[in-house]
Amino acid sequence: MGDPVRLEVIVASTRPGRFAPVVAEWFLRAARADGRFDIGVVDLLDTPLPVDLSETPEAAAYRERVAAADAFVAVTSEYNHGYPASLKTALDSAKREWRGKPIGFVSYGGLSGGLRAVEQLRQVVAEIHMVSIRETVSFHEAKRKFDAAGETGDGAAVDAAGRLLRQLDWWGRHLRAARAAEPYPG
């Protein structure tokens, strides 16, 4: 199997009172328990990226982190049938660093569970030459799905997280080997 896949989990919501930490911590526990990943967290609340995409030391450090990763998971909410502006800024703040790498999605929201945001994100990540993992974890009416300890009894989500992690590991390892053998043509 070789070195573990370097996975960066991007926590997208930056709103006051956000529910993102509950969902992200649940997913991080699942990913750490999996054992196949070297995991980092990029919380966009704590990542000062300029919305005008200007060059800053923080943006340069962020791009270096993206470049060093083998795979990504975006934990995203859905706002007004879309994903957070902070996530769009994060995606636009790097370019070649994303190419030839897989990304999975853990979404949450009201009745849609964030799936409309994920469908939009699939179009965006295709444009920046990423591979979108088919399996998605989605929490419909998310605040009702977690207990006070941040655990969920949502069996479908638990099962989906396992499948997502298996697929992410496969894509992460194989695309890392492919990029090492021959630079991505883009």
Side-chain angles (χ1 to χ4, degrees), residues 31-59:
R32 288 176 180 130
D34 181 277
R36 290 180 279 192
F37 300 93
D38 173 22
I39 302 169
V41 179
V42 177
D43 189 334
L44 296 181
L45 183 64
D46 303 320
T47 308
L49 296 172
V51 295
D52 66 358
L53 306 179
S54 59
E55 184 58 37
T56 65
E58 294 84 4

Side-chain angles (χ1 to χ4, degrees), residues 63-148:
R63 282 194 308 277
E64 287 177 19
R65 192 164 179 178
V66 170
D70 297 313
F72 302 89
V73 167
V75 177
T76 187
S77 52
E78 180 179 309
Y79 302 139
N80 301 318
H81 290 220
Y83 56 92
S86 55
L87 185 51
K88 180 66 165 126
T89 299
L91 291 168
D92 290 348
S93 291
K95 188 173 181 175
R96 287 176 167 66
E97 297 86 355
W98 297 117
R99 293 180 179 179
K101 296 180 181 179
I103 186 168
F105 300 102
V106 175
S107 67
Y108 62 96
L111 293 177
S112 77
L115 292 174
R116 294 176 291 215
V118 170
E119 289 308 310
Q120 291 176 20
L121 284 163
R122 290 187 193 284
Q123 294 175 37
V124 173
V125 300
E127 185 62 25
I128 56 177
H129 301 254
M130 295 185 84
V131 174
S132 174
I133 301 299
R134 176 63 188 97
E135 193 62 53
T136 299
V137 180
S138 177
F139 290 99
H140 305 263
E141 296 184 341
K143 291 182 180 178
R144 296 181 182 186
K145 300 290 184 175
F146 291 87
D147 63 20

